[in-house]
Amino acid sequence: MTIKMTITQSLYHRFKRHRTLQTDHIKALPIAILMPHSACNCQCVMCDIWKDNKNLKQLTEKDIHGLMRSLTKLGTQQVVMSGGEALLNPNFFRFCEILKGQNIKVSLLSTGLTLKKNAPRILTWVNDIIVSLDGNEEIHNRIRNIPNAFQKLREGVQYLKSLDPAFKITSRTVIHRLNFRYWPAIIDSAREMGLDQCSFLPADTSSHAFNREVLWSNQRQHEILLTQNETTELKNGTEDIIKKYAPDFASHFIAESPDKLRKIPGYYSAFYGLNPFPYKKCNAPWVSTVVEADGTVRPCFFHAPLGNIRDQSLESILNGEQGMRFRKELDMNTNNTCKKCVCYLNLSPGTKLI
């Protein structure tokens, strides 16, 4: 296994990240998001990934070895395994072994259904886990459309913690029409489960992400979007959470600041013209990329593809004519996809990932 970066290497990597932001040419790529497996073992109401489970796509060991040339050259420090459910790929832990052999941190996004079964290998090859948590037991199972989903998640988390109490497991919750009234119960469930932190964001209903080849109809969107009256209810509920759980903001058990949490009702009320979509500072296309299960490369989850790693290297895709033009021309203040984005990343050159 390679040694960690020396001070000189760290400073040089920081310089390259700075130059990337200045020139739009990817000289350093701190984060890569991989989707090892296209299928999912949940059937969530706010996601269409599972609807295409029969058309399975997955990354191969050859794909990962091919990626390593670019990831190593660009100094990638963290790979986030997303999906679908990444653990469904039979070669998942081999991928992790290859990545960690180059001192790349591996983070896993998971439904949590098979954590207990895979616990020993997770502790060996994964650095941290982010699980999806949708509510208390009743609401979580209803949204996931899987019997005992909450129980399996809880058992997996608690088993991992029994083996290694220091292993970091956090949750991410999409707040939407079907669970916003249960927000306090979600926080309480995260604590009872033994999670280290919980995080929250609004639901994406308007992009092609999450396997939406056809954009949702207005009716389908409003199954997840709050009504105008409900946005007021959510705003008041958010203020109640900020007051009730003040110690959890101070301790960072709740990842977001109160002001950032207030952007969630602001996001939903923007659909009714009550306010602009909340401002977000994001540099995801300059510091990260997404590689889907069929090799498709995107600048982030929500923008159009730039190429495919089975046709050319990741570096040549990111720094090709299309990739460079995309970053040069992207104005996040006016781009409709960016304005409605729910999941954004802002990474300064000095941010340490490992």
Side-chain angles (χ1 to χ4, degrees):
M1 182 175 289
T2 58
I3 60 173
K4 291 186 177 181
M5 279 195 253
T6 65
I7 293 176
T8 300
Q9 289 171 329
S10 180
L11 290 173
Y12 183 52
H13 180 76
R14 181 173 178 173
F15 169 74
K16 290 197 292 184
R17 285 163 65 172
H18 179 71
R19 289 295 294 160
T20 295
L21 296 175
Q22 282 189 323
T23 65
D24 300 308
H25 186 279
I26 302 292
K27 298 180 181 296
L29 188 76
I31 299 174
I33 300 160
L34 308 186
M35 298 179 175
H37 200 272
S38 66
C40 189
N41 51 11
C42 283
Q43 300 179 14
C44 301
V45 297
M46 64 285 189
C47 175
D48 287 347
I49 289 175
W50 58 275
K51 294 181 179 180
D52 199 40
N53 279 0
K54 62 183 181 297
N55 296 317
L56 175 63
K57 297 178 281 290
Q58 55 187 341
L59 294 177
T60 66
E61 187 171 337
K62 181 180 177 181
D63 292 328
I64 302 301
H65 280 298
L67 278 169
M68 289 309 303
R69 290 188 284 273
S70 293
L71 298 183
T72 302
K73 183 176 180 180
L74 297 173
T76 300
Q77 298 175 345
Q78 180 182 15
V79 163
V80 179
M81 297 292 200
S82 185
E85 172 56 59
L87 288 170
L88 292 176
N89 190 308
N91 294 311
F92 173 78
F93 292 106
R94 175 59 182 151
F95 299 168
C96 296
E97 182 182 4
I98 294 168
L99 292 163
K100 295 196 77 174
Q102 294 299 317
N103 200 39
I104 295 176
K105 175 183 176 182
V106 177
S107 297
L108 170 63
L109 306 184
S110 177
T111 63
L113 297 186
T114 63
L115 294 183
K116 186 174 183 179
K117 170 181 146 182
N118 291 291
R121 290 190 292 175
I122 287 173
L123 294 177
T124 300
W125 298 114
V126 175
N127 293 88
D128 65 276
I129 298 176
I130 303 171
V131 297
S132 299
L133 179 62
D134 295 303
N136 57 16
E137 185 163 8
E138 177 190 355
I139 300 303
H140 182 85
N141 290 345
R142 186 187 306 170
I143 290 172
R144 294 269 135 187
N145 276 318
I146 296 293
N148 302 316
F150 185 91
Q151 180 181 342
K152 291 176 181 178
L153 170 60
R154 179 171 54 198
E155 287 178 353
V157 169
Q158 293 179 346
Y159 185 59
L160 281 165
K161 285 292 189 179
S162 72
L163 297 176
D164 183 357
F167 186 77
K168 186 176 182 181
I169 312 175
T170 62
S171 66
R172 181 172 297 165
T173 300
V174 177
I175 296 295
H176 51 75
R177 189 177 188 184
L178 303 180
N179 68 358
F180 79 95
R181 294 187 177 95
Y182 300 89
W183 200 342
I186 297 172
I187 299 171
D188 295 341
S189 294
R191 181 183 292 103
E192 181 271 335
M193 196 177 287
L195 296 170
D196 296 292
Q197 190 178 57
C198 51
S199 177
F200 304 95
L201 72 164
D204 170 67
T205 64
S206 59
S207 80
H208 281 285
F210 311 108
N211 198 44
R212 296 179 194 135
E213 292 186 7
V214 178
L215 290 176
W216 278 359
S217 67
N218 188 62
Q219 179 181 351
R220 178 70 177 94
Q221 289 186 47
H222 279 84
E223 292 175 12
I224 302 301
L225 291 174
L226 278 67
T227 67
Q228 185 168 337
N229 288 338
E230 287 170 340
T231 64
T232 300
E233 186 180 348
L234 176 60
K235 182 177 179 180
N236 293 334
T238 303
E239 294 303 321
D240 290 341
I241 286 171
I242 290 169
K243 293 176 183 177
K244 179 179 179 180
Y245 293 95
D248 291 316
F249 288 98
S251 68
H252 300 289
F253 179 71
I254 297 176
E256 290 78 17
S257 67
D259 284 342
K260 193 168 183 180
L261 223 59
R262 290 184 176 107
K263 291 185 177 182
I264 296 178
Y267 175 82
Y268 286 116
S269 61
F271 279 94
Y272 301 99
L274 301 179
N275 52 259
F277 282 95
Y279 171 77
K280 56 193 73 71
K281 188 175 182 181
C282 177
N283 59 12
W286 288 264
V287 301
S288 67
T289 192
V290 174
V291 180
E292 297 181 343
D294 63 354
T296 297
V297 176
R298 295 178 185 268
C300 75
F301 282 106
F302 304 98
H303 282 285
L306 300 175
N308 193 295
I309 59 168
R310 293 172 181 169
D311 299 324
Q312 56 188 135
S313 72
L314 177 63
E315 183 188 10
S316 62
I317 293 170
L318 295 178
N319 288 325
E321 180 182 352
Q322 184 179 355
M324 290 283 289
R325 184 172 65 250
F326 170 80
R327 290 187 294 276
K328 285 181 181 295
E329 295 178 357
L330 181 61
D331 182 348
M332 294 186 176
N333 293 320
T334 58
N335 182 276
N336 195 51
T337 297
C338 292
K339 285 168 63 177
K340 293 183 178 181
C341 184
V342 300
C343 182
Y344 48 95
L345 172 69
N346 185 46
L347 203 65
S348 69
T351 303
K352 294 183 179 179
L353 301 177
I354 57 174

